[in-house]
Each structure stands twice: as C-alpha cells, then as structure tokens.
Amino acid sequence: MDSNKIAVDIVLIPPEPIVKLAIELNRSFPDTAKEDYVLDAKTCIPHITLLMGLISRDQLAEINAKLGSVAEKFSALNLRATGFTSSSHPDGKIFSTLAIEKDSNLQKLHETILEELKPFFSWDGVKKEMFYSPPPVREISSFWVKGFGKNSVRENYDPHISLGFAELKKEFVPVQFVASKLALCHLGNYCTCRDVIWSIELK
C-alpha cells in the first residue's frame, strides 16, 4: 500500500572533515535558507548516494539484514573528492556538487547493493507524502527518486556530495578520505538525508 511506502537513500556518510566542508559551503550560498536546503551533521546530512528509491516500512527488518550482509563483504572505502561540478535545474536554478572519483570498490559497492536490494525497491508512484517533512518537499524531489532506477545506476552511477544552490567557481585541491559509515536514510526536500533509519560501520 502507498501509505506504507517511504522514499529512502542507501548512502555512505563521509568522515567529519568532509561533512564539515560540505556544511560550510552550503551555508555560504545565498539561497540555502530560502530553498530549505540547510545541511547539518544530524538532520540534513551530507552523503554519497548508493541507491535511492521507495521501500515498504514493513520490509525494513529484511532490508536492514540484507544491508548488514553486504557490509560484511566490504571494508571502509578510500575515496577521493576531485572537484566542484554545477548543473542547471529545469527551472534554471544552478545546483552544485562535490564530485567523488568512481573507483572500482565504490562501483562494486553500488552494484552489489543494487543487486541485493532491488527486490525491495520501486520507483513508480512517488508521492510527496513518502518523504520526510517539514520542510515542504519540492516537486523535483519526486522526479529524482522516480528516475534513479533508470538513469543513475550501473554505468550511469555518478557518485557525488550535493552542496546546494549556487555556482562554485573556486579552485578545489583533490582530497583523499575514508568513508566507513553505511546508512539507510529517509529522504526529505531535494532528496536530503533527513533521518538515519539504520547504519553500520564498515571494517
């Protein structure tokens, strides 16, 4: 039933210095508050998406168990943030992200989660009521969730950390970091990670 469905994201939560950097950049953008896109470390968490879609609340125990099994097969990931990217939304607003290099381990984690969790995920019938609110959920949030299974998996997987509404033209020196926290989060406005439903530390 639709009332049982929620919009979620399986993510890697980066370490504190990367989270702090994302929050500082986000808070420096002029439209952060107006767009209800205010990052913080607890209730609107910077993250690297692995698989986004709809799940049923009554399957959460099974999903968490599956994710736990996947986590046993992976160690913490050595990742590299490579630079800022900007794109234009359909409404003309500019949105910026921090690009993450797609290495073989990150790609394998994404594809393993996709294969193991696909039976529990759907991408049809996305409604605003399935997201965490407040703040109010903008229409594009549903659009992103709806399209993820078709546009953003396997060879189209594009790892990044979303930063918010601005165009970043400053220089960025690539930085290595270790991501060890795998989490299942309830999505909010603009597909932000609003509530951590479940998490585990990779070895």
Side-chain angles (χ1 to χ4, degrees):
M1 283 182 50
D2 279 355
S3 61
N4 195 34
K5 296 256 183 179
I6 54 171
V8 298
D9 202 351
I10 298 170
V11 306
L12 284 170
I13 296 174
E16 189 178 353
I18 302 296
V19 166
K20 193 176 173 189
L21 170 66
I23 290 169
E24 284 174 359
L25 288 165
N26 168 263
R27 299 290 178 90
S28 74
F29 299 161
D31 290 338
T32 288
K34 188 175 78 177
E35 294 289 346
D36 289 320
Y37 198 109
V38 184
L39 294 179
D40 68 60
K42 296 264 172 69
T43 63
C44 196
I45 307 162
H47 62 276
I48 302 163
T49 291
L50 293 162
L51 179 63
M52 191 161 68
L54 302 179
I55 61 166
S56 294
R57 287 182 192 273
D58 56 15
Q59 291 185 306
L60 272 172
E62 288 175 87
I63 289 165
N64 296 347
K66 278 275 187 194
L67 276 174
S69 297
V70 170
E72 287 174 10
K73 300 170 189 168
F74 286 85
S75 302
L77 276 74
N78 288 296
L79 300 178
R80 187 168 179 260
T82 57
F84 301 122
T85 62
S86 296
S87 59
S88 183
H89 278 201
D91 58 11
K93 293 172 184 171
I94 302 294
F95 192 82
S96 284
T97 66
L98 179 59
I100 305 298
E101 189 170 79
K102 186 164 67 168
D103 71 4
S104 57
N105 290 326
L106 182 56
Q107 183 69 23
K108 188 179 179 188
L109 178 58
H110 157 69
E111 291 190 11
T112 303
I113 286 172
L114 177 64
E115 292 310 312
E116 293 290 324
L117 277 297
K118 202 174 178 184
F120 300 95
F121 272 69
S122 63
W123 293 273
D124 296 326
V126 184
K127 297 175 183 169
K128 288 182 182 178
E129 298 75 41
M130 297 169 180
F131 291 79
Y132 185 103
S133 186
V137 177
R138 313 287 170 97
E139 196 57 52
I140 199 162
S141 313
S142 300
F143 174 79
W144 283 338
V145 171
K146 211 178 293 179
F148 192 89
K150 187 190 295 181
N151 304 323
S152 303
V153 297
R154 296 190 178 89
E155 66 275 8
N156 295 325
Y157 176 56
D158 176 31
H160 61 271
I161 298 171
S162 296
L163 299 173
F165 290 91
E167 186 169 7
L168 277 166
K169 292 179 177 174
K170 59 173 76 176
E171 288 294 312
F172 182 82
V173 178
V175 60
Q176 301 277 150
F177 64 93
V178 176
S180 62
K181 188 171 185 179
L182 180 68
L184 174 71
C185 298
H186 194 181
L187 290 175
N189 186 37
Y190 290 124
C191 295
T192 47
C193 279
R194 301 290 306 182
D195 180 42
V196 177
I197 298 168
W198 176 94
S199 68
I200 195 169
E201 288 289 329
L202 301 175
K203 295 189 190 79

